[in-house]
Amino acid sequence: MKNILIYIIVLFALIIVGCSGSDTYRGNWKATSEDGTQSDLVFGENDLSVTVNGETKHFEYTQNSVNIKNSVETYGVKLGDGRVIQIHFPIANDESKGAILDANGRPIYIISRDAYLGYEDVYGM
């Protein structure tokens, strides 16, 4: 019985570590950084492409957490280079705009499916 429990725990850990990205944030995004730089992001199943000023960088990633509270969603993502980001949708039941946050919860990008938005457009301040 103890061996079965250990097997289940190891299997569960492998599933969480190897999770591909959620359908919620996969696809194309228009992103605006704090300084107003506009970028295009594309989340694939396990890779992220970031295009800024015509230059594209690619990152592998794994989704390592999901937190949904009062219909506000936050997805934890670990990039292949070790950095951790969060994809946060602060408006309940609205996954069309949000923010990409650093490990400390500070916005890196404001994201939208349709337009380049600013902080105020998502957080309303």
Side-chain angles (χ1 to χ4, degrees), residues 49-123:
S49 299
V50 179
T51 303
V52 182
N53 298 324
E55 184 179 327
T56 302
K57 294 184 180 180
H58 300 275
F59 303 91
E60 291 183 5
Y61 76 87
T62 55
Q63 179 180 310
N64 59 9
S65 69
V66 177
N67 184 4
I68 301 173
K69 187 173 184 178
N70 297 326
S71 299
V72 173
E73 303 173 32
T74 303
Y75 298 85
V77 171
K78 183 174 183 179
L79 300 177
D81 62 7
R83 288 182 289 168
V84 175
I85 60 172
Q86 299 172 12
I87 304 166
H88 180 65
F89 299 101
I91 302 169
N93 300 313
D94 184 357
E95 299 166 341
S96 67
K97 57 186 173 182
I100 295 182
L101 311 173
D102 68 12
N104 296 316
R106 293 181 308 206
I108 300 169
Y109 290 113
I110 298 300
I111 58 173
S112 169
R113 294 283 188 186
D114 303 318
Y116 297 103
L117 302 178
Y119 185 89
E120 307 81 28
D121 297 316
V122 174
Y123 289 98

Coordinates of all heavy atoms in Angstrom, one line a residue, residues 49-123:
S49 N 6.7 32.9 -27.8 CA 7.4 33.8 -28.7 C 7.1 35.3 -28.4 O 5.9 35.6 -28.2 CB 7.0 33.6 -30.2 OG 7.3 32.3 -30.6
V50 N 8.1 36.1 -28.2 CA 8.0 37.5 -27.9 C 8.6 38.3 -29.0 O 9.8 38.2 -29.3 CB 8.6 37.8 -26.6 CG1 8.5 39.3 -26.3 CG2 8.0 37.0 -25.4
T51 N 7.8 39.1 -29.7 CA 8.3 40.0 -30.8 C 8.3 41.4 -30.4 O 7.2 41.9 -30.1 CB 7.5 39.7 -32.1 OG1 7.6 38.4 -32.4 CG2 8.1 40.6 -33.2
V52 N 9.5 42.0 -30.4 CA 9.6 43.5 -30.0 C 10.4 44.1 -31.1 O 11.5 43.7 -31.4 CB 10.3 43.6 -28.6 CG1 10.4 45.1 -28.3 CG2 9.6 42.8 -27.5
N53 N 9.9 45.2 -31.7 CA 10.6 45.9 -32.8 C 11.1 45.0 -33.9 O 12.2 45.1 -34.3 CB 11.7 46.7 -32.2 CG 11.2 47.8 -31.2 OD1 10.2 48.4 -31.4 ND2 12.0 48.0 -30.2
G54 N 10.3 44.0 -34.3 CA 10.7 43.1 -35.3 C 11.6 42.0 -34.9 O 11.9 41.1 -35.8
E55 N 12.1 42.0 -33.7 CA 13.0 40.9 -33.3 C 12.2 39.9 -32.4 O 11.6 40.3 -31.4 CB 14.1 41.5 -32.5 CG 15.2 40.5 -32.0 CD 16.3 41.2 -31.2 OE1 16.7 42.3 -31.5 OE2 16.8 40.5 -30.4
T56 N 12.3 38.6 -32.7 CA 11.6 37.6 -32.0 C 12.5 36.8 -31.1 O 13.5 36.3 -31.6 CB 10.8 36.7 -33.0 OG1 9.9 37.5 -33.8 CG2 10.0 35.7 -32.3
K57 N 12.1 36.5 -29.9 CA 12.8 35.6 -29.0 C 11.8 34.5 -28.6 O 10.6 34.7 -28.5 CB 13.2 36.3 -27.7 CG 14.3 37.4 -28.0 CD 14.8 38.0 -26.7 CE 15.9 39.0 -27.0 NZ 16.4 39.7 -25.8
H58 N 12.4 33.3 -28.5 CA 11.6 32.1 -28.2 C 12.0 31.6 -26.8 O 13.2 31.5 -26.5 CB 11.8 31.0 -29.3 CG 11.4 31.5 -30.6 ND1 10.1 31.5 -31.1 CD2 12.1 32.1 -31.6 CE1 10.1 31.9 -32.3 NE2 11.3 32.3 -32.7
F59 N 11.0 31.1 -26.1 CA 11.2 30.6 -24.8 C 10.3 29.3 -24.6 O 9.2 29.3 -25.0 CB 10.8 31.5 -23.6 CG 11.4 32.9 -23.7 CD1 10.9 33.9 -24.4 CD2 12.6 33.1 -23.0 CE1 11.5 35.1 -24.5 CE2 13.2 34.3 -23.1 CZ 12.7 35.4 -23.8
E60 N 10.9 28.2 -24.1 CA 10.1 27.1 -23.7 C 9.6 27.4 -22.3 O 10.1 28.2 -21.6 CB 11.0 25.8 -23.6 CG 11.5 25.4 -25.0 CD 12.3 24.1 -24.9 OE1 12.4 23.5 -23.8 OE2 12.8 23.7 -25.9
Y61 N 8.4 26.8 -22.0 CA 7.8 27.0 -20.7 C 7.0 25.8 -20.3 O 6.6 25.0 -21.1 CB 7.0 28.3 -20.6 CG 5.6 28.1 -21.3 CD1 4.5 27.7 -20.6 CD2 5.4 28.5 -22.6 CE1 3.3 27.5 -21.2 CE2 4.2 28.3 -23.2 CZ 3.1 27.8 -22.5 OH 1.9 27.7 -23.1
T62 N 6.8 25.8 -19.0 CA 5.8 24.8 -18.4 C 4.9 25.6 -17.5 O 5.3 26.5 -16.8 CB 6.5 23.7 -17.6 OG1 7.3 24.2 -16.6 CG2 7.3 22.8 -18.5
Q63 N 3.6 25.2 -17.5 CA 2.7 25.8 -16.5 C 2.8 25.0 -15.2 O 2.8 23.8 -15.2 CB 1.3 25.7 -17.1 CG 0.2 26.2 -16.1 CD -1.2 26.1 -16.7 OE1 -1.4 26.5 -17.8 NE2 -2.1 25.6 -15.9
N64 N 3.0 25.7 -14.1 CA 3.2 25.0 -12.9 C 2.2 25.3 -11.8 O 2.3 24.8 -10.7 CB 4.7 25.3 -12.3 CG 4.9 26.8 -12.1 OD1 4.0 27.6 -12.2 ND2 6.2 27.1 -11.8
S65 N 1.2 26.2 -12.1 CA 0.2 26.4 -11.1 C -1.0 27.1 -11.8 O -0.9 27.7 -12.8 CB 0.7 27.3 -10.0 OG 0.9 28.6 -10.4
V66 N -2.2 26.9 -11.1 CA -3.4 27.6 -11.5 C -4.1 28.0 -10.2 O -4.2 27.2 -9.2 CB -4.4 26.6 -12.2 CG1 -5.7 27.3 -12.6 CG2 -3.7 26.1 -13.5
N67 N -4.5 29.3 -10.2 CA -5.3 29.8 -9.0 C -6.5 30.5 -9.5 O -6.3 31.5 -10.2 CB -4.4 30.7 -8.2 CG -5.0 31.2 -6.9 OD1 -6.2 30.8 -6.6 ND2 -4.4 32.0 -6.2
I68 N -7.7 30.0 -9.2 CA -8.9 30.7 -9.5 C -9.7 31.0 -8.3 O -10.0 30.1 -7.5 CB -9.7 29.8 -10.5 CG1 -8.9 29.5 -11.8 CG2 -11.1 30.5 -10.8 CD1 -9.6 28.5 -12.7
K69 N -9.9 32.3 -8.0 CA -10.6 32.7 -6.8 C -11.6 33.8 -7.2 O -11.2 34.8 -7.8 CB -9.6 33.2 -5.8 CG -10.2 33.5 -4.5 CD -9.2 33.8 -3.4 CE -9.8 34.1 -2.1 NZ -8.8 34.3 -1.1
N70 N -12.9 33.6 -7.0 CA -13.9 34.5 -7.3 C -13.9 34.8 -8.8 O -14.0 36.0 -9.3 CB -13.8 35.8 -6.5 CG -14.0 35.6 -5.1 OD1 -14.8 34.7 -4.7 ND2 -13.3 36.3 -4.2
S71 N -13.6 33.8 -9.6 CA -13.5 33.9 -11.1 C -12.4 34.7 -11.6 O -12.3 35.1 -12.8 CB -14.8 34.4 -11.7 OG -15.9 33.5 -11.4
V72 N -11.4 35.1 -10.8 CA -10.2 35.8 -11.2 C -9.1 34.7 -11.3 O -8.9 33.9 -10.4 CB -9.8 36.8 -10.1 CG1 -8.4 37.4 -10.5 CG2 -10.8 38.0 -10.1
E73 N -8.5 34.6 -12.5 CA -7.6 33.6 -12.8 C -6.1 34.0 -12.8 O -5.8 35.1 -13.4 CB -8.0 32.9 -14.1 CG -9.4 32.4 -14.2 CD -9.8 32.0 -15.6 OE1 -8.9 31.5 -16.3 OE2 -11.0 32.2 -15.9
T74 N -5.2 33.2 -12.3 CA -3.8 33.4 -12.3 C -3.1 32.1 -12.6 O -3.4 31.1 -12.0 CB -3.3 34.0 -11.0 OG1 -4.0 35.2 -10.7 CG2 -1.8 34.3 -11.2
Y75 N -2.3 32.1 -13.7 CA -1.6 30.9 -14.1 C -0.1 31.1 -13.9 O 0.5 32.1 -14.3 CB -1.8 30.6 -15.6 CG -3.3 30.3 -15.9 CD1 -4.2 31.4 -16.1 CD2 -3.7 29.0 -15.9 CE1 -5.5 31.1 -16.4 CE2 -5.1 28.8 -16.1 CZ -6.0 29.8 -16.4 OH -7.3 29.5 -16.6
G76 N 0.5 30.2 -13.2 CA 2.0 30.3 -12.9 C 2.7 29.6 -14.1 O 2.3 28.5 -14.5
V77 N 3.8 30.2 -14.6 CA 4.5 29.7 -15.7 C 6.0 29.8 -15.4 O 6.5 30.8 -14.9 CB 4.2 30.5 -17.0 CG1 5.1 30.1 -18.1 CG2 2.7 30.3 -17.4
K78 N 6.7 28.7 -15.6 CA 8.2 28.7 -15.5 C 8.8 28.6 -16.9 O 8.6 27.7 -17.6 CB 8.6 27.5 -14.6 CG 10.1 27.6 -14.4 CD 10.6 26.5 -13.4 CE 12.1 26.6 -13.1 NZ 12.5 25.6 -12.2
L79 N 9.6 29.7 -17.2 CA 10.3 29.7 -18.5 C 11.5 28.8 -18.4 O 12.0 28.5 -17.4 CB 10.7 31.1 -18.8 CG 9.6 32.2 -18.9 CD1 10.2 33.6 -19.1 CD2 8.6 31.8 -19.9
G80 N 11.9 28.4 -19.6 CA 13.0 27.5 -19.8 C 14.3 28.0 -19.2 O 15.2 27.2 -18.8
D81 N 14.5 29.3 -19.0 CA 15.7 29.9 -18.5 C 15.6 30.0 -16.9 O 16.5 30.6 -16.3 CB 16.0 31.2 -19.1 CG 15.0 32.3 -18.9 OD1 14.0 32.0 -18.1 OD2 15.1 33.4 -19.5
G82 N 14.5 29.5 -16.3 CA 14.4 29.5 -14.9 C 13.5 30.6 -14.3 O 13.1 30.6 -13.2
R83 N 13.2 31.7 -15.1 CA 12.4 32.7 -14.6 C 10.9 32.2 -14.4 O 10.5 31.4 -15.2 CB 12.4 33.9 -15.6 CG 13.7 34.7 -15.6 CD 13.6 35.9 -16.5 NE 13.6 35.4 -17.9 CZ 13.4 36.1 -19.0 NH1 13.1 37.4 -18.8 NH2 13.4 35.6 -20.2
V84 N 10.3 32.9 -13.5 CA 8.9 32.5 -13.2 C 8.0 33.8 -13.5 O 8.4 34.9 -13.1 CB 8.7 32.1 -11.8 CG1 7.2 31.8 -11.4 CG2 9.5 30.8 -11.5
I85 N 6.9 33.6 -14.2 CA 6.0 34.6 -14.5 C 4.6 34.1 -14.1 O 4.3 32.9 -13.9 CB 6.0 35.1 -15.9 CG1 5.7 34.0 -16.9 CG2 7.3 35.7 -16.3 CD1 5.5 34.4 -18.3
Q86 N 3.7 35.1 -14.0 CA 2.3 34.8 -13.8 C 1.4 35.4 -14.9 O 1.7 36.6 -15.3 CB 1.8 35.3 -12.5 CG 2.5 34.7 -11.3 CD 2.1 35.4 -10.0 OE1 1.1 36.2 -9.9 NE2 2.9 35.2 -9.0
I87 N 0.5 34.7 -15.4 CA -0.5 35.3 -16.4 C -1.8 35.5 -15.6 O -2.4 34.5 -15.1 CB -0.7 34.4 -17.6 CG1 0.7 34.1 -18.2 CG2 -1.6 35.0 -18.6 CD1 0.7 32.9 -19.2
H88 N -2.1 36.8 -15.4 CA -3.2 37.1 -14.5 C -4.3 37.8 -15.2 O -4.1 38.7 -16.0 CB -2.6 38.1 -13.4 CG -3.6 38.6 -12.4 ND1 -4.1 37.7 -11.5 CD2 -4.0 39.8 -12.1 CE1 -4.9 38.4 -10.7 NE2 -4.9 39.7 -11.1
F89 N -5.5 37.3 -15.0 CA -6.8 37.9 -15.5 C -7.6 38.5 -14.4 O -8.3 37.7 -13.7 CB -7.6 36.8 -16.3 CG -6.8 36.3 -17.5 CD1 -6.2 35.0 -17.4 CD2 -6.7 37.0 -18.7 CE1 -5.4 34.5 -18.4 CE2 -5.9 36.5 -19.7 CZ -5.3 35.2 -19.6
P90 N -7.4 39.8 -14.1 CA -8.0 40.3 -12.9 C -9.5 40.6 -12.9 O -10.1 40.9 -11.9 CB -7.2 41.6 -12.7 CG -6.8 42.0 -14.1 CD -6.6 40.7 -14.8
I91 N -10.1 40.6 -14.1 CA -11.5 40.9 -14.2 C -12.2 39.6 -14.3 O -12.0 38.7 -15.2 CB -11.8 41.7 -15.5 CG1 -11.0 43.0 -15.5 CG2 -13.3 42.0 -15.6 CD1 -11.0 43.8 -16.8
A92 N -13.1 39.4 -13.3 CA -13.9 38.1 -13.2 C -14.6 37.8 -14.5 O -15.2 38.6 -15.2 CB -14.9 38.2 -12.1
N93 N -14.4 36.5 -15.0 CA -15.0 36.0 -16.2 C -14.6 36.7 -17.5 O -15.4 36.7 -18.4 CB -16.5 36.0 -16.0 CG -17.0 35.1 -14.9 OD1 -16.5 34.0 -14.7 ND2 -17.8 35.6 -14.0
D94 N -13.5 37.4 -17.5 CA -13.0 38.1 -18.7 C -11.6 37.7 -18.9 O -10.6 38.1 -18.3 CB -13.1 39.6 -18.6 CG -12.7 40.3 -19.8 OD1 -12.3 39.7 -20.8 OD2 -12.8 41.6 -19.8
E95 N -11.4 36.8 -19.9 CA -10.0 36.3 -20.3 C -9.5 37.0 -21.5 O -8.6 36.5 -22.2 CB -10.1 34.8 -20.4 CG -10.5 34.1 -19.1 CD -10.8 32.6 -19.4 OE1 -11.1 32.2 -20.5 OE2 -10.9 31.9 -18.4
S96 N -10.1 38.1 -21.9 CA -9.6 38.8 -23.1 C -8.5 39.8 -22.9 O -7.9 40.3 -23.8 CB -10.8 39.5 -23.8 OG -11.3 40.5 -23.0
K97 N -8.3 40.2 -21.6 CA -7.3 41.1 -21.3 C -6.8 40.8 -19.8 O -7.5 40.3 -19.0 CB -7.8 42.6 -21.4 CG -9.0 42.9 -20.6 CD -9.4 44.3 -20.9 CE -10.7 44.7 -20.2 NZ -11.2 46.0 -20.5
G98 N -5.5 41.1 -19.6 CA -4.9 40.8 -18.3 C -3.5 41.4 -18.2 O -3.2 42.4 -18.9
A99 N -2.7 40.7 -17.5 CA -1.3 41.1 -17.2 C -0.4 39.9 -17.1 O -0.8 38.9 -16.6 CB -1.3 42.0 -16.0
I100 N 0.8 40.1 -17.5 CA 1.9 39.2 -17.2 C 2.7 39.8 -16.1 O 3.2 41.0 -16.3 CB 2.7 38.9 -18.5 CG1 1.8 38.2 -19.5 CG2 3.9 38.0 -18.1 CD1 2.5 37.8 -20.8
L101 N 2.8 39.1 -15.0 CA 3.5 39.6 -13.8 C 4.8 38.9 -13.6 O 5.0 37.7 -14.0 CB 2.6 39.4 -12.6 CG 1.1 39.9 -12.8 CD1 0.3 39.4 -11.5 CD2 1.1 41.4 -13.0
D102 N 5.8 39.6 -13.0 CA 7.0 38.9 -12.6 C 6.8 38.1 -11.3 O 5.7 38.1 -10.8 CB 8.2 39.9 -12.5 CG 8.1 40.9 -11.4 OD1 7.2 40.7 -10.5 OD2 8.8 41.9 -11.3
A103 N 7.9 37.5 -10.9 CA 7.8 36.6 -9.7 C 7.3 37.4 -8.4 O 6.8 36.8 -7.5 CB 9.1 36.0 -9.4
N104 N 7.5 38.7 -8.4 CA 7.1 39.6 -7.3 C 5.7 40.2 -7.5 O 5.3 41.0 -6.6 CB 8.1 40.7 -7.1 CG 9.5 40.1 -6.7 OD1 9.5 39.2 -5.9 ND2 10.5 40.7 -7.3
G105 N 5.0 39.8 -8.6 CA 3.7 40.3 -8.8 C 3.6 41.7 -9.5 O 2.5 42.3 -9.6
R106 N 4.7 42.2 -10.0 CA 4.8 43.5 -10.7 C 4.5 43.2 -12.2 O 5.0 42.3 -12.8 CB 6.1 44.1 -10.5 CG 6.4 44.6 -9.1 CD 7.7 45.3 -9.0 NE 8.7 44.4 -9.6 CZ 10.0 44.4 -9.3 NH1 10.4 45.3 -8.5 NH2 10.8 43.6 -9.9
P107 N 3.7 44.1 -12.8 CA 3.4 43.9 -14.2 C 4.6 44.0 -15.1 O 5.4 45.0 -15.0 CB 2.4 45.0 -14.5 CG 1.8 45.4 -13.2 CD 2.9 45.2 -12.2
I108 N 4.8 43.1 -16.0 CA 5.8 43.2 -17.1 C 5.1 43.7 -18.3 O 5.6 44.5 -19.0 CB 6.4 41.8 -17.3 CG1 7.1 41.2 -16.1 CG2 7.4 41.9 -18.5 CD1 7.5 39.8 -16.2
Y109 N 3.9 43.1 -18.6 CA 3.1 43.5 -19.8 C 1.7 43.5 -19.4 O 1.2 42.8 -18.6 CB 3.2 42.4 -20.9 CG 4.5 42.3 -21.6 CD1 5.3 41.1 -21.4 CD2 5.0 43.2 -22.5 CE1 6.5 41.0 -22.1 CE2 6.2 43.1 -23.1 CZ 6.9 42.0 -23.0 OH 8.1 41.8 -23.6
I110 N 0.9 44.4 -20.0 CA -0.5 44.4 -20.0 C -0.9 43.7 -21.4 O -0.3 44.1 -22.4 CB -1.1 45.8 -19.9 CG1 -0.7 46.5 -18.6 CG2 -2.6 45.8 -20.1 CD1 -1.2 45.7 -17.4
I111 N -1.8 42.7 -21.3 CA -2.0 42.0 -22.6 C -3.5 42.1 -22.9 O -4.4 42.2 -22.1 CB -1.6 40.5 -22.4 CG1 -2.3 39.8 -21.2 CG2 -0.1 40.4 -22.3 CD1 -2.1 38.3 -21.1
S112 N -3.8 41.9 -24.2 CA -5.1 41.9 -24.8 C -5.1 41.1 -26.1 O -4.1 41.1 -26.8 CB -5.6 43.4 -25.1 OG -6.8 43.4 -25.8
R113 N -6.2 40.5 -26.3 CA -6.3 39.8 -27.6 C -6.4 40.7 -28.8 O -6.0 40.4 -29.9 CB -7.6 38.9 -27.6 CG -7.5 37.7 -26.6 CD -6.6 36.6 -27.1 NE -6.7 35.5 -26.2 CZ -5.9 34.4 -26.3 NH1 -5.1 34.3 -27.2 NH2 -6.1 33.4 -25.4
D114 N -7.0 41.9 -28.6 CA -7.4 42.8 -29.7 C -6.6 44.1 -29.9 O -6.5 44.6 -31.0 CB -8.9 43.1 -29.6 CG -9.8 41.9 -29.5 OD1 -9.5 41.0 -30.3 OD2 -10.7 41.9 -28.7
A115 N -6.1 44.7 -28.8 CA -5.5 46.0 -28.9 C -4.4 46.1 -27.9 O -4.3 45.4 -26.9 CB -6.6 47.1 -28.6
Y116 N -3.5 47.1 -28.1 CA -2.4 47.4 -27.2 C -3.1 48.3 -26.1 O -3.5 49.4 -26.4 CB -1.3 48.1 -27.9 CG -0.6 47.3 -28.9 CD1 -0.9 47.4 -30.3 CD2 0.3 46.2 -28.5 CE1 -0.2 46.6 -31.2 CE2 0.9 45.4 -29.5 CZ 0.6 45.7 -30.8 OH 1.2 44.9 -31.8
L117 N -3.1 47.8 -24.9 CA -3.8 48.5 -23.8 C -2.8 49.0 -22.8 O -1.6 48.5 -22.7 CB -4.8 47.6 -23.1 CG -5.9 47.0 -23.9 CD1 -6.7 46.0 -23.1 CD2 -6.7 48.0 -24.6
G118 N -3.2 49.9 -21.9 CA -2.4 50.3 -20.8 C -2.9 49.8 -19.5 O -4.0 49.1 -19.4
Y119 N -2.2 50.0 -18.5 CA -2.5 49.5 -17.1 C -3.9 49.9 -16.7 O -4.7 49.1 -16.2 CB -1.5 50.1 -16.1 CG -1.6 49.6 -14.7 CD1 -0.9 48.4 -14.3 CD2 -2.4 50.2 -13.8 CE1 -1.1 47.9 -13.0 CE2 -2.5 49.7 -12.5 CZ -1.8 48.6 -12.1 OH -2.0 48.1 -10.8
E120 N -4.3 51.1 -17.0 CA -5.6 51.6 -16.6 C -6.7 50.9 -17.3 O -7.8 50.7 -16.7 CB -5.8 53.1 -16.9 CG -4.7 54.0 -16.4 CD -3.4 54.0 -17.2 OE1 -3.4 53.7 -18.5 OE2 -2.3 54.1 -16.7
D121 N -6.5 50.4 -18.5 CA -7.5 49.7 -19.3 C -7.9 48.4 -18.6 O -9.0 47.8 -18.8 CB -7.1 49.5 -20.7 CG -6.8 50.7 -21.5 OD1 -7.7 51.7 -21.4 OD2 -5.8 50.9 -22.1
V122 N -6.9 47.8 -17.9 CA -7.2 46.5 -17.3 C -7.5 46.6 -15.8 O -8.5 46.0 -15.3 CB -5.9 45.6 -17.4 CG1 -6.1 44.3 -16.7 CG2 -5.7 45.3 -18.9
Y123 N -6.8 47.5 -15.1 CA -7.0 47.6 -13.7 C -7.9 48.8 -13.3 O -8.2 49.0 -12.1 CB -5.7 47.7 -12.9 CG -4.9 46.4 -12.9 CD1 -3.9 46.2 -13.9 CD2 -5.2 45.4 -12.0 CE1 -3.3 44.9 -13.9 CE2 -4.6 44.2 -12.1 CZ -3.6 44.0 -13.0 OH -2.9 42.8 -13.0

